[in-house]
Amino acid sequence: MRDFLRRLGIEDVNPGATCGEWFSSGEELASYCPTDGGLIAKVRQATEEDYDRVVAKSAEVFKTWRNVPAPARGEIVRQLGLKMRDHKKDLGRLVAYEMGKVISEGEGEIQEAIDIADFAVGLSRQLYGLTMHSERPGHRMYEQWHPLGIIGIVTAFNFPAAVWAWNSMIAAVCGDTMIWKPSSKVPLTAIAMQKLANDVFADNGYEGVMNLVIGRGSSVGERMLHDRNIPLISATGSCRMGRRIGEVVSQRLGRTLLELGGNNAIVVAEDADLRLALPAVVFGAVGTAGQRCTSTRRLFIEKSIFGSLTEKLVTAYKSIRIGDPLEEETHMGPLIDDGAVQEMMDAIEAAKKEGGEVLCGGGKVDRPGSFVEPTIIKAHPDMKIVRDETFAPILYVFEVDDVEQAIEMQNSVDQGLSSAIFTTNVMSAETFLSARGSDCGIANVNIGTSGAEIGGAFGGEKDTGGGREAGSDSWKTYMRRQTCTINWSKDLPLAQGVKFDI
Ligand code: NAD
């Protein structure tokens, strides 16, 4: 069973920092399996001195890496994509084992890392700048994009491989070096991914482009935020963490790319095709045990179908197979740890106190590990708890008069990540997508809130942080833009007709 750990190079105690070579001198951190609570392996964490050593090497390597032509950088990322393909099954298994998502989602996560590597390879020949017509005769104006420097990448526990890949594959072709600080809840997946990167970059003579530091948010994390050597911090996690990062990094006028919590909703109109809506809602709310930033947390149903749809949902929930995420037939694995189970139980209690009615689930599952029952709660708009993101499989269902009211209620929370409508009416669909429709970064029609493709820019508005990662033109965040004007005439005219004769 543990053969995959050996094949991925995971040892009983692993060093937690690397910039080519591996080292670390801090306290040990244990990684436990959420399915049975057993110890998987340990990591010796990085200290602040270890972090400084990684920064020094990243800065040195940047001086070389920034001069490598972007398509040549892309070639190395292509090799890394192939390496991840070779190890996809083992990596997917490790993600499922350490984080608790089911095996097909674990492998899907590695596929996402491969997809973004492929995307980055193509991008390495498309880091386009614009040319402009100058108002001055004999002048040419254009903009170009240069590498930014060392990128700090902070990731959440729930996507222990893919979010690093979204950032690092793009940052690498942009000519940046980087330092990854993963979640302390899933350090082994980070070590396994990083080992592949180390091998590929060493084979090409560029050790120290992608680097790793595993340590506490309060020590190495904070040091990174305050570090003026790091021009961009790309951070994925809770809104609380994002506020702290935004505050510290903006104090030193650094850049942030924030991918924070969501409170995602699906609207089901009375004309919806329920054969599509039902599985989309169940996957959105129950998939990954409700631990995706894009998990469906609120459901707005038009009143004429409220009773029949909630009944179907309750029936569907009863067929959810909860269990070991490594078994193919399991739909839902455990939560990440017992703290997350307690937070879910507290939220259910709070919902009940505010008048919420539990339609199904609501408890823990009586077996070892951090297992819970997926839960549906009939809610009303005055409930405060529905405004929070509880990172667990709780779905709040609301009865609404019409699509307009559903959109208004959907937009009434602080977060703005993902949203969806199920309808066969083009007017309802277009209203949802219009400027007065969904206020989220992601708005879907007839597909659910979770499971985004890497080709689009991913991220959300309001308290979700405003960042955009992965596809489209997200790469621009990882580079600095330079506007260049070249005078090839024999005169020196000033812009806006200003005269300054000497
Ligand atoms: P978290 O906020 O507890 O931790 C996220 C990361 O931030 C961890 O690596 C943690 O060590 C680090 N961190 C915390 N304080 C820090 C500090 N002061 N300095 C530097 N680093 C610090 O989040 P989590 O529980 O791991 O993940 C769940 C949250 O992440 C949810 O809110 C979820 O919605 C969000 N998330 C968002 C997206 C997105 O793309 N919008 C994707 C995945 C997860």
Side-chain angles (χ1 to χ4, degrees):
M1 157 106 159
R2 283 175 165 236
D3 277 1
F4 65 93
L5 293 176
R6 191 180 40 76
R7 285 195 295 270
L8 293 169
I10 302 295
E11 302 181 4
D12 290 343
V13 182
N14 303 269
T18 178
C19 48
E21 56 189 314
W22 289 86
F23 56 90
S24 63
S25 46
E27 290 168 11
E28 280 185 357
L29 166 75
S31 179
Y32 296 101
C33 172
T35 305
D36 57 17
L39 174 69
I40 308 176
K42 291 181 181 172
V43 173
R44 182 162 298 287
Q45 296 184 89
T47 59
E48 296 189 13
E49 291 70 33
D50 296 331
Y51 166 83
D52 289 345
R53 182 168 156 192
V54 175
V55 173
K57 174 79 181 213
S58 303
E60 183 195 316
V61 173
F62 177 64
K63 289 184 188 151
T64 313
W65 184 241
R66 67 185 168 186
N67 298 324
V68 175
R73 299 191 293 244
E75 164 54 22
I76 300 173
V77 170
R78 189 185 70 80
Q79 294 170 26
L80 181 49
L82 294 178
K83 194 85 157 176
M84 291 190 288
R85 280 180 170 86
D86 289 345
H87 294 84
K88 179 177 164 183
K89 283 231 169 284
D90 283 341
L91 289 168
R93 188 159 271 264
L94 174 56
V95 169
Y97 193 46
E98 189 179 35
M99 184 273 161
K101 61 178 70 175
V102 295
I103 186 75
S104 79
E105 290 187 54
E107 286 181 18
E109 171 153 3
I110 304 306
Q111 186 57 48
E112 202 170 338
I114 294 165
D115 291 346
I116 197 77
D118 290 356
F119 180 89
V121 176
L123 185 65
S124 69
R125 291 181 185 270
Q126 300 174 76
L127 302 170
Y128 300 139
L130 298 172
T131 62
M132 298 90 181
H133 284 264
S134 169
E135 66 189 49
R136 289 172 279 188
H139 283 57
R140 184 165 73 82
M141 202 160 57
Y142 71 102
E143 47 182 44
Q144 58 180 351
W145 294 86
H146 286 311
L148 192 58
I150 310 172
I151 312 299
I153 303 171
V154 177
T155 55
F157 80 83
N158 64 329
F159 275 92
V163 173
W164 164 72
W166 283 8
N167 284 279
S168 60
M169 304 302 149
I170 304 281
V173 299
C174 289
D176 301 315
T177 54
M178 65 216 76
I179 302 175
W180 178 17
K181 197 214 82 59
S183 162
S184 301
K185 293 178 181 174
V186 283
L188 303 176
T189 305
I191 287 174
M193 298 302 282
Q194 183 67 44
K195 277 182 186 275
L196 302 185
N198 277 16
D199 286 352
V200 170
F201 278 88
D203 286 351
N204 286 276
Y206 291 109
E207 275 189 344
V209 170
M210 293 184 178
N211 304 306
L212 176 72
V213 166
I214 297 174
R216 293 203 177 135
S218 55
S219 65
V220 292
E222 282 286 326
R223 195 162 181 91
M224 184 189 262
L225 306 189
H226 287 89
D227 190 347
R228 291 180 65 84
N229 291 302
I230 316 281
L232 168 67
I233 302 273
S234 172
T236 302
S238 58
C239 297
R240 192 168 61 87
M241 174 281 280
R243 274 198 191 88
R244 172 73 190 153
I245 291 189
E247 190 183 292
V248 175
V249 180
S250 66
Q251 278 289 322
R252 61 171 173 91
L253 301 181
R255 276 191 211 177
T256 52
L257 193 171
L258 298 177
E259 297 283 356
L260 310 176
N263 192 350
N264 318 295
I266 293 181
V267 176
V268 185
E270 59 189 0
D271 51 57
D273 183 342
L274 296 185
R275 288 170 316 142
L276 304 183
L278 188 71
V281 171
V282 178
F283 176 69
V286 173
T288 331
Q291 298 172 109
R292 287 194 188 209
C293 51
T294 51
S295 289
T296 309
R297 311 214 176 275
R298 296 174 300 142
L299 183 64
F300 299 104
I301 308 172
E302 269 197 86
K303 59 181 171 222
S304 63
I305 57 164
F306 183 84
S308 58
L309 181 53
T310 47
E311 220 169 89
K312 286 192 177 82
L313 278 169
V314 169
T315 308
Y317 266 52
K318 288 192 178 137
S319 69
I320 296 295
R321 289 187 294 273
I322 303 169
D324 185 344
L326 291 174
E327 286 171 14
E328 298 282 343
E329 64 277 9
T330 302
H331 290 125
M332 195 184 105
L335 292 181
I336 185 69
D337 54 25
D338 291 347
V341 173
Q342 194 52 50
E343 277 174 30
M344 176 174 175
M345 296 305 129
D346 291 348
I348 293 169
E349 275 316 302
K352 283 191 207 158
K353 276 202 186 110
E354 291 191 277
E357 182 191 341
V358 176
L359 300 183
C360 70
K364 301 179 196 176
V365 176
D366 187 18
R367 57 173 284 169
S370 306
F371 288 89
V372 293
E373 295 168 341
T375 299
I376 303 178
I377 296 178
K378 186 175 173 194
H380 59 81
D382 297 333
M383 287 167 60
K384 288 203 188 72
I385 189 71
V386 304
R387 307 183 67 79
D388 295 338
E389 177 198 49
T390 302
F391 221 50
I394 303 177
L395 180 67
Y396 298 110
V397 293
F398 300 83
E399 185 176 320
V400 293
D401 292 338
D402 52 30
V403 167
E404 298 276 350
Q405 188 196 15
I407 293 172
E408 197 183 314
M409 284 166 66
Q410 180 212 281
N411 291 348
S412 70
V413 295
D414 292 333
Q415 309 86 346
L417 182 51
S418 187
S419 61
I421 187 169
F422 282 80
T423 180
T424 51
N425 179 325
V426 71
M427 288 176 198
S428 299
E430 292 293 338
T431 302
F432 188 76
L433 299 175
S434 73
R436 68 185 160 95
S438 168
D439 65 359
C440 294
I442 297 166
N444 296 333
V445 175
N446 294 332
I447 65 165
T449 57
S450 73
E453 297 176 26
I454 58 99
F458 180 91
E461 300 300 327
K462 304 193 288 184
D463 286 7
T464 302
R468 288 298 184 279
E469 266 175 12
S472 187
D473 63 354
S474 307
W475 61 271
K476 290 179 176 171
T477 313
Y478 303 85
M479 301 197 85
R480 63 184 171 87
R481 185 194 314 232
Q482 189 169 62
T483 303
C484 309
T485 309
I486 299 160
N487 177 5
W488 53 276
S489 76
K490 293 194 169 14
D491 301 312
L492 190 69
L494 299 177
Q496 295 90 39
V498 172
K499 295 280 178 232
F500 192 78
D501 295 329
I502 49 169

